[in-house]
């Protein structure tokens, strides 16, 4: 038995932990077993129903591929890609080692990403993903928008105010907030400006690489990451702050040596913060004064990329602390929150390749939010925002979708 | 009978596919390579893979009827499927055909608090049932197994599963009041009180006591159960859980029987020392044999009460019997402190949640057991005989000692005992064949001691038939022929 070349960055861990062998298809990955209500957790499985769409089925297929019992085909590819890679399945796995480590919990998502890469290397990929990979290659964003219009939102955000030439940090905006959810970029920049923070925005920011890493199109990641690192270093800043969960995961997690950094030849020493971390720090230091009342009942959606995907570095409490600090805001929790939050449905390349699946998953989340009686569903990820808003509109739900920074802006 | 357009195993058959799609909708029928692959092999045991031709997910009893009528007309095998977690490859499509994944039929149809039952569709899982009852009827207790949450609730009951109330009330089949099932010829049958009354509260409707037995233990070879009524119980507010350790299996099994006869216990289950280690996350092969002070048999004893006083009285009885028998009791919460950091036993309180470390614990993710209903008085004798088989095949010497699990049920009237071999998905064909041979010999030893093997793959089913009264076998074969004249239901299993 030999692992494909695309597994090289995780091969030693897989061998040491006997993954995927240890998966015995028990199906514990399908429901939140710590809950007395046993809620479903897997969007892919709940959507498609058939076995290969749950983690256990994917592990079975992975095992078949690794052992050479099956070969890549269009049929085999599908279950691996019709999945948001939200990781809620792995979160449930209770295969334990005697030292307390949880090998499938730790390795399932890296394995699924490596499998996707292997599919691409064998000539099997999805057209939608190829299209956005090409757009990133040509125009540095997956939306095929003009690169020169990337910072078009900035004027609305800060008017004619000049950005710092010697910034303390770079606001890494990300493609979705730059081109689609400009409301988030605008609110974030306004908050930073209002707080008197010394920041800048890159003139020549490229996609962070998240869509490429998730969909197996790794070839471009190294070049765009190196470009972004160089651009950031040219500003003199040692810190980047992002309002995007996807960008945050790439910068703080994927581009580290122990994840993809080494295998892709990327190295950086930048300090990476999500905007909620920066703001909580300011709140703790008494430098963020939220004075204006915002009377609204909200529930908070944990994005996978700053939630369970980060393991013990997940940002669960920071956004909640900020919400609770806004006068007038009443925070109510959905049943599935924090590490077991139901995915928004957009991630893993699903929004572009499987739009119906993305909407269905988002609708499930909207319904859960409605059950809390909340008037507003708040999150901290432009991509979650997009899909949750689309989903709310699709079912005519009376709930407003907002980014946390938009609420912060109102409260300043 | 017209000529069949079904070509068995391996060839795409668009005509059958289209007919199935017309019944359930194209979204819920698949002949995709990925789907067929995952439904064709067991993924846990050393049993050989099968080959599914279609996987279909019906939503209603009527859809099940239409599928079965089509299959019967075309002589296509039909394999009912929920989770494929029997650890006996009982839902492996051994002769091709249609795998009928029942999981879309997962509704709770009725909860009758007064008559204490829950009426469910047959694709419902333990997670579905437990979640539903906990959410809507938190004062009620639904019997659950140590199987994983994805396990089919009804399927487990049909296959003599074991529950956390089985000491008090018997194996899982005892919890079934009545069924609705689709026969292999497409007719619907109801059993128990549902046969001749609108109520689902009782297993008998005179004189049909045996009709329920047309489906229990038949491994899906007589029809497809579509609904089942399961007994519910009040959730008593007071509960105690103990580990009861014994230095020998002889002593341990004897104390189990004594405790069972008191009529106050909900559940007794046990692991021998080796399986206990695996559940705690230890890797095979073991570097050392039984450690000094390590109990040979460690039982889990659980009981509940309506009042604190009642609990105290029960506790006194349990302590007295255990002490007299030479066992040692440790409160569950105390006992788990001595388990390693990765142990799974801490998660028992989240029942149903067992299995993954049971098998992954060997670190190879592959295992198979031979189990069955043995006379409870013979448990220790069988254990010693099986121990010799492990020695004979060199498992003990190689750090893979005897792995045993038992559950005593129905006040000691019945009990399951299982012997397990752990392997790896990386095992060579020669090693796999060795595992198979050893398991077969264990099965033979168990049969020689009067055990009726349950959840038995074909070889082990044959061992059962070999020692079965010819008149009984004749009736069993006649029943099968009447119900399934074209032998479409899960062919290759039971193997009469």
């Amino acid at each position: 038995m030999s692992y494909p070349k695309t597994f090289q960055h995780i091969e030693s861990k897989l061998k040491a932990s006997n993954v995927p062998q240890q998966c015995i298809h028990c199906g514990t990955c399908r429901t939140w077993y710590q809950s007395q209500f046993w809620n479903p957790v897997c969007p892919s499985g709940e959507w498609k129903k058939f076995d290969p769409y749950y983690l256990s089925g994917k592990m079975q297929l992975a095992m078949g591929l690794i052992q050479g019992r099956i070969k890549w085909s269009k049929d085999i590819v599908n279950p691996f890609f019709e999945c948001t890679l939200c990781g809620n399945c792995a979160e449930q796995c209770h295969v334990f080692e005697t030292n307390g480590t949880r090998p499938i919990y730790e390795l399932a998502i890296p394995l699924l990403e490596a499998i996707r890469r292997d599919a691409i290397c064998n000539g099997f990929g999805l057209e939608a993903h190829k299209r956005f990979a090409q757009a990133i290659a040509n125009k540095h964003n997956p939306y095929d928008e003009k690169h020169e219009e990337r910072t078009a939102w900035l004027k609305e955000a800060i008017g004619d105010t000049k950005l710092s030439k010697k910034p303390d940090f770079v606001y890494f905006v990300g493609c979705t907030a730059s081109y689609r959810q400009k409301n988030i970029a605008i609110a974030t920049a306004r908050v930073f400006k209002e707080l008197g923070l010394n920041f800048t925005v890159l003139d020549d920011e490229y996609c962070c690489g998240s869509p490429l890493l998730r969909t197996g199109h790794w070839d471009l990641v190294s070049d765009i990451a190196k470009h972004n690192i160089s651009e950031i270093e040219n500003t003199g800043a040692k810190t980047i702050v992002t309002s995007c969960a996807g960008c945050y995961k790439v910068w703080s997690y994927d581009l580290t040596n122990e994840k993809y950094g080494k295998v892709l030849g990327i190295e950086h020493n930048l300090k990476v913060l999500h905007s909620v971390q920066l703001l909580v720090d300011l709140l703790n230091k008494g430098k963020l004064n939220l004075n204006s009342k915002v009377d609204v009942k909200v529930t908070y959606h944990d994005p996978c990329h700053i939630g369970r995907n980060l393991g013990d570095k997940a940002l669960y409490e920071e956004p909640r602390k900020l919400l609770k600090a806004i006068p007038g805001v009443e925070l109510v929790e959905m049943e599935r929150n924090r590490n077991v939050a139901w995915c928004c449905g957009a991630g893993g390349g699903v929004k572009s390749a499987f739009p119906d699946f993305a909407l269905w998953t988002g609708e499930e989340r909207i319904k859960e939010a409605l059950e809390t009686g909340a008037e507003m569903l708040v999150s901290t990820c432009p991509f979650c925002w997009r899909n949750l808003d689309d989903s709310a509109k699709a079912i005519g739900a009376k709930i407003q979708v907002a980014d946390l920074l938009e609420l912060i802006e109102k409260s300043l | 009978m017209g000529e069949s357009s079904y070509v068995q195993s391996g060839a795409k058959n668009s005509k059958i596919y289209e007919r199935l799609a017309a019944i359930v909708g194209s979204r819920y029928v698949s002949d995709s390579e990925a789907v067929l692959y995952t439904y064709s092999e067991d993924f846990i045991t050393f049993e050989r893979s099968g080959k599914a031709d279609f996987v279909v997910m019906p939503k209603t009893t009527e859809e099940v009827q239409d599928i079965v009528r089509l299959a019967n007309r075309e002589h296509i095998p039909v394999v009912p499927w929920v989770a494929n977690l029997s650890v006996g490859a009982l839902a492996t499509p051994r002769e091709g055909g249609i795998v009928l994944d029942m999981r879309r039929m997962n509704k709770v149809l009725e909860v009758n608090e007064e008559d204490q039952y829950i009426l469910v569709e047959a694709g419902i899982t333990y997670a579905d049932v437990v979640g539903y009852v906990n959410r809507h009827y938190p004062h009620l207790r639904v019997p659950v197994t140590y199987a994983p949450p994805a396990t089919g609730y009804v399927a487990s009951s049909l296959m003599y599963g074991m529950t956390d109330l089985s000491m008090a009330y018997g194996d899982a089949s005892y919890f079934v009041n009545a069924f609705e099932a689709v026969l292999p010829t497409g007719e619907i049958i109801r059993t128990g009180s549902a046969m001749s009354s609108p109520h689902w509260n009782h297993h008998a409707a005179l004189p049909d006591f045996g009709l329920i037995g047309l489906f229990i233990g038949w491994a899906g070879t007589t029809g497809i159960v579509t609904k089942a009524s399961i007994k519910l119980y009040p959730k008593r507010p007071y509960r105690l859980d103990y580990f009861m350790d014994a230095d020998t299996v002889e002593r341990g099994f004897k104390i189990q029987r004594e405790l069972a006869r008191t009529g106050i216990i909900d559940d007794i289950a046990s692991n021998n020392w080796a399986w206990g280690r695996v559940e705690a996350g230890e890797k095979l092969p073991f570097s050392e044999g039984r450690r000094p002070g390590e109990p040979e048999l460690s039982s889990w004893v659980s009981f509940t009460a309506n009042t604190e006083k009642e609990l105290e009285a029960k506790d006194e009885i349990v302590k007295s019997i255990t002490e007299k028998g030479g066992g040692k009791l440790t409160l569950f919460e105390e006992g788990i402190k001595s388990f390693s950091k990765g142990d799974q036993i801490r998660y028992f309180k989240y029942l149903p949640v067992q299995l993954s470390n049971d098998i992954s614990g060997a670190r190879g993710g592959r295992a198979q057991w031979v189990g069955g209903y043995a006379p409870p008085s013979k448990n220790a004798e069988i254990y010693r005989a099986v121990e010799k088989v492990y020695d004979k095949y060199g498992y003990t010497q190689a750090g893979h000692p005897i792995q045993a699990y038992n559950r005593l049920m129905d006040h000691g009237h019945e009990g399951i005992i299982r012997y397990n071999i752990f392997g790896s998905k990386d095992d060579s064909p020669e090693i796999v064949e060795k595992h198979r041979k050893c398991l077969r010999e264990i099965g033979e030893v168990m049969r020689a001691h009067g055990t009726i093997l349950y959840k038995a793959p074909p070889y082990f089913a044959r061992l059962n038939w070999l020692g079965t009264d010819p008149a009984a076998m004749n009736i069993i074969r006649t029943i099968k022929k009447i119900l399934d004249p074209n032998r479409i239901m899960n062919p290759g299993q039971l193997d009469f």
Side-chain angles (χ1 to χ4, degrees):
Chain A
M1 188 182 108
S2 61
Y3 293 102
K5 282 182 185 168
T6 61
F7 283 49
Q8 62 177 286
H9 59 300
I10 49 172
E11 187 170 338
S12 59
K13 286 184 183 173
L14 292 171
K15 279 182 179 164
S17 307
N18 261 9
V19 175
Q21 290 92 325
Q22 282 209 61
C23 173
I24 52 120
H25 206 288
C26 73
T28 304
C29 50
R30 297 171 193 178
T31 47
W32 174 22
Y33 75 84
Q34 303 96 328
S35 151
Q36 59 174 328
F37 304 134
W38 295 83
N39 312 58
V41 295
C42 174
S44 175
E46 297 301 314
W47 164 248
K48 292 294 283 193
K49 308 287 186 197
F50 290 107
D51 231 43
Y53 293 87
Y54 291 102
L55 177 62
S56 47
K58 291 184 178 89
M59 287 295 204
Q60 195 174 350
L61 289 174
M63 198 68 218
L65 285 163
I66 292 166
Q67 289 183 326
R69 298 177 66 193
I70 46 174
K71 304 239 175 278
W72 281 115
S73 68
K74 272 190 175 175
D75 276 359
I76 298 292
V77 160
N78 188 268
F80 289 112
F81 281 86
E82 200 162 354
C83 164
T84 60
L85 294 175
C86 74
N88 216 347
C89 50
E91 190 75 27
Q92 308 307 321
C93 181
H94 68 138
V95 170
F96 285 93
E97 305 279 358
T98 42
N99 61 8
T101 56
R102 299 168 59 199
I104 294 176
Y105 159 74
E106 286 171 18
L107 290 166
I109 297 302
L111 183 145
L112 292 178
E113 289 181 353
I115 279 271
R116 285 181 172 203
R117 175 66 185 154
D118 190 48
I120 301 291
C121 291
N122 281 278
F124 293 94
L126 305 186
E127 283 307 314
H129 298 165
K130 285 180 196 166
R131 278 197 298 275
F132 71 56
Q134 197 56 51
I136 292 171
N138 295 337
K139 298 180 183 174
H140 318 306
N141 73 85
Y143 299 111
D144 208 23
E145 297 286 357
K146 291 176 181 167
H147 184 56
E148 57 271 26
E149 290 178 6
R150 194 174 182 96
T151 53
W153 56 272
L154 198 53
K155 191 164 178 64
E156 188 181 340
I158 57 170
D160 293 326
T161 307
K162 298 288 179 205
L163 291 168
S164 174
K165 296 283 184 196
K166 288 187 176 174
D168 292 333
F169 67 88
V170 168
Y171 169 33
F172 192 89
V173 187
C175 303
T176 305
S178 295
Y179 292 110
R180 294 290 182 268
Q181 268 47 72
K182 295 179 187 175
N183 51 317
I184 296 173
I186 290 167
T188 305
R190 282 180 180 164
V191 168
F192 290 170
K193 182 190 162 198
E194 192 69 24
L195 293 172
L197 302 177
N198 182 28
F199 75 102
T200 193
V201 170
L202 297 180
D203 292 331
D204 195 17
E205 178 187 295
Y206 284 8
C207 172
C208 69
S210 178
L212 301 169
L213 282 169
R214 308 297 155 238
T215 58
H217 290 275
W218 296 357
D219 309 294
L220 289 171
V221 177
S222 181
D223 286 347
I224 61 175
K226 283 173 183 167
H227 167 86
N228 283 330
I229 291 165
S230 165
E231 287 293 307
I232 294 161
E233 285 173 350
N234 287 343
T235 69
K238 306 280 185 213
T239 301
I240 61 170
V241 179
T242 181
S243 53
C244 174
C247 296
Y248 180 80
K249 185 186 171 191
V250 168
W251 281 109
S252 69
Y253 181 88
D254 294 315
L255 299 186
T256 56
N257 255 343
E258 61 272 24
K259 303 299 174 193
Y260 291 104
K262 199 169 179 183
V263 72
L264 296 175
I266 305 162
E267 205 171 350
H268 76 83
N269 295 311
L270 297 164
K271 183 177 178 185
V272 183
L273 296 172
H274 190 280
S275 50
V276 295
Q277 290 174 294
L278 176 71
L279 295 180
V280 162
D281 186 48
L282 294 172
L283 187 72
N284 290 341
K285 290 173 177 163
K287 293 178 181 172
L288 173 63
N289 299 308
L290 300 169
N291 299 319
S292 301
K293 209 170 177 200
V294 186
D295 284 317
V296 64
K297 188 173 179 178
V298 308
T299 189
Y300 177 71
H301 169 77
D302 294 276
C304 308
H305 285 179
I306 61 166
R308 63 180 156 261
N309 283 180
L310 302 181
D312 57 8
K313 295 196 171 94
L315 308 179
Y316 296 131
E317 302 314 319
E318 289 85 346
R320 288 174 171 82
K321 188 163 186 182
L322 289 169
L323 280 168
K324 286 173 187 168
I326 300 172
V329 165
E330 181 192 351
L331 173 64
V332 285
E333 293 287 359
M334 287 179 274
E335 214 165 75
R336 293 172 292 186
N337 62 65
R338 294 179 172 82
N339 65 319
V340 292
W342 178 260
C343 174
C344 77
V350 161
K351 182 81 175 161
S352 59
F354 304 98
D356 291 345
F357 170 35
L359 271 186
W360 174 84
T361 306
E363 287 163 15
E364 291 295 301
R365 192 58 166 162
I366 293 294
K367 287 174 197 166
E368 191 174 357
L370 288 171
E371 281 173 16
T372 67
E375 307 156 83
M376 186 182 277
L377 175 57
V378 177
S379 195
T380 45
C381 171
F383 214 41
C384 292
W385 193 104
R386 171 80 270 152
N387 200 52
L388 291 170
D389 193 59
D390 288 348
S391 304
K393 284 175 180 148
I395 56 171
K398 288 185 178 165
I399 192 163
Q400 190 188 343
V401 176
D403 189 90
L404 177 53
L405 269 287
E406 293 177 290
L407 277 185
I408 299 279
E409 188 198 353
K410 280 184 189 169
S411 184
L412 279 174
Chain B
M1 178 77 59
E3 196 179 326
S4 170
S5 56
Y6 169 66
V7 180
Q8 189 182 301
S9 289
K12 294 250 178 187
N13 190 325
S14 58
K15 205 168 174 183
I16 301 294
Y17 178 92
E18 281 160 20
R19 288 183 194 170
L20 291 169
I23 295 168
V24 295
S26 57
R27 185 176 166 80
Y28 298 110
V29 57
S30 180
D31 61 356
S32 134
E33 191 188 352
V35 171
L36 298 184
Y37 181 77
T38 55
Y39 285 81
S40 292
E41 67 171 12
D42 183 78
F43 203 55
I44 300 176
T45 68
F46 309 114
E47 292 291 311
R48 290 182 175 83
S49 294
K51 177 75 178 75
D53 295 303
F54 309 96
V55 181
V56 186
M57 301 185 98
K59 182 70 181 163
T60 64
T61 300
E62 290 72 28
E63 288 180 2
V64 174
Q65 283 182 285
D66 289 345
I67 294 163
V68 168
R69 284 189 185 118
L70 168 67
N72 195 40
R73 201 164 53 238
E74 303 285 348
H75 292 210
I76 306 172
V78 176
V79 181
W81 205 98
V82 181
N84 201 15
L85 286 169
S86 64
V87 201
L90 299 180
T92 296
R94 295 178 187 273
E95 296 184 15
I98 299 166
V99 173
L100 205 65
D101 184 338
M102 299 290 286
R103 281 177 300 178
R104 286 180 69 221
M105 294 183 68
N106 64 349
K107 287 200 294 289
V108 172
L109 301 169
E110 181 193 355
V111 174
N112 190 319
E113 288 184 80
E114 287 302 314
D115 296 325
Q116 299 182 95
Y117 67 80
I118 182 169
L119 179 62
V120 296
E121 290 183 320
I124 203 161
T125 65
Y126 272 99
D128 295 332
V129 175
V130 174
Y132 186 91
V133 172
N134 284 351
R135 185 184 296 275
H136 301 289
Y137 301 91
H139 56 291
L140 294 177
R141 182 172 178 185
V142 54
V144 292
T145 152
Y146 291 158
T151 309
Y153 196 104
V154 176
S156 176
S157 304
L158 289 170
M159 293 312 298
Y160 295 110
M162 300 168 279
T163 82
D164 62 344
L165 283 170
S166 281
M167 173 55 78
Y169 304 105
D171 67 74
S173 71
Y174 282 80
F175 294 88
V176 178
N177 284 327
F179 291 135
E180 173 192 270
V182 174
L183 295 175
T185 42
E187 297 96 335
I188 292 176
I189 183 175
R190 284 185 175 179
T191 69
S193 56
M195 184 176 82
S196 52
S197 130
H199 304 289
W200 291 74
N201 60 301
H202 192 230
H203 62 261
L206 297 172
D208 85 309
F209 193 106
L211 283 192
I212 204 165
L214 290 178
F215 304 99
I216 289 173
W218 284 80
T221 61
T222 49
I224 297 152
V225 172
T226 45
K227 290 174 191 159
S229 156
I230 309 286
K231 290 170 188 166
L232 293 171
Y233 297 85
K235 204 177 271 175
R236 294 180 186 140
Y238 298 92
R239 172 171 176 157
L240 266 177
D241 293 272
Y242 281 112
F243 291 111
M244 188 272 284
D245 292 340
D247 58 349
T248 64
V249 292
E250 286 78 5
R251 208 185 301 280
F253 287 135
K254 189 163 187 294
I255 300 169
Q256 283 189 3
R257 292 199 299 278
E258 297 279 334
L259 289 170
R261 289 168 197 157
T262 62
I264 61 170
I265 309 291
D266 289 344
D267 189 18
I268 294 182
S270 78
N271 287 319
N272 80 326
W273 62 277
W275 204 331
R277 278 197 202 171
V278 167
E279 282 199 352
E282 284 195 42
K283 189 177 177 177
L284 284 165
F286 296 150
S287 55
E288 55 181 339
R290 228 180 114 199
R291 296 163 188 144
E294 192 169 32
E296 189 168 37
L297 195 75
S298 185
S299 303
W300 171 304
V301 179
S302 174
F303 51 98
T304 51
N306 296 292
T307 65
E308 208 167 344
K309 211 169 174 182
E310 182 188 347
L311 193 75
E312 282 169 13
K314 287 181 172 178
D315 192 26
E316 197 178 316
I317 295 168
V318 168
K319 281 177 174 161
S320 164
I321 288 172
T322 307
E323 192 180 330
K324 278 180 197 162
K328 184 190 162 203
L329 284 177
T330 311
L331 275 171
F332 172 73
E333 294 298 344
E334 286 300 311
I336 58 169
K337 287 178 187 167
S338 65
F339 279 78
S340 59
K341 198 177 172 190
D343 76 85
Q344 189 184 43
I345 207 153
R346 292 167 205 277
Y347 294 86
F348 273 29
K349 64 183 176 181
Y350 296 119
L351 283 173
V353 77
Q354 189 56 284
L355 189 63
S356 50
N357 247 36
D358 272 1
I359 289 171
S360 303
R363 301 291 162 245
R366 205 168 180 194
Q368 189 168 339
W369 43 253
V370 192
Y373 282 83
S377 60
K378 302 266 187 194
N379 274 348
E381 187 183 320
I382 296 172
Y383 183 97
R384 295 297 175 213
V386 170
E387 205 170 28
K388 288 180 184 147
V389 182
Y390 281 82
D391 293 346
K392 177 182 162 187
Y393 281 82
Y395 284 95
T396 314
Q397 301 85 321
H400 285 258
I402 181 170
Q403 303 274 343
Y405 169 89
N406 98 302
R407 207 141 183 186
L408 198 56
M409 296 180 278
D410 191 17
H411 299 171
H413 291 105
E414 59 167 348
I416 288 276
I417 191 150
R418 292 175 182 166
Y419 296 97
N420 193 49
I421 288 181
F422 290 110
S424 165
K425 293 192 177 80
D426 298 330
D427 282 342
S428 67
E430 294 74 29
I431 296 287
V432 170
E433 198 48 45
K434 181 185 162 189
H435 295 331
R436 287 178 183 148
K437 276 186 185 162
C438 184
L439 284 164
R440 286 171 183 179
E441 192 159 335
I442 291 170
E444 286 156 16
V445 166
M446 293 175 78
R447 284 291 292 143
H449 285 78
T451 306
I452 296 162
L453 305 177
Y454 90 134
K455 295 187 185 176
Y459 180 87
F460 301 93
R462 274 194 297 279
L463 288 180
N464 278 343
W465 305 140
L466 284 173
T468 300
D469 167 44
M473 276 309 294
N474 192 32
I475 289 176
I476 287 170
R477 288 194 182 105
T478 304
I479 289 169
K480 168 70 179 173
K481 187 74 184 166
I482 290 168
L483 292 178
D484 185 16
N486 291 322
R487 194 180 168 271
I488 63 165
M489 288 308 306
N490 209 1
Q493 303 286 358
L494 289 193
D495 213 10
F496 305 104

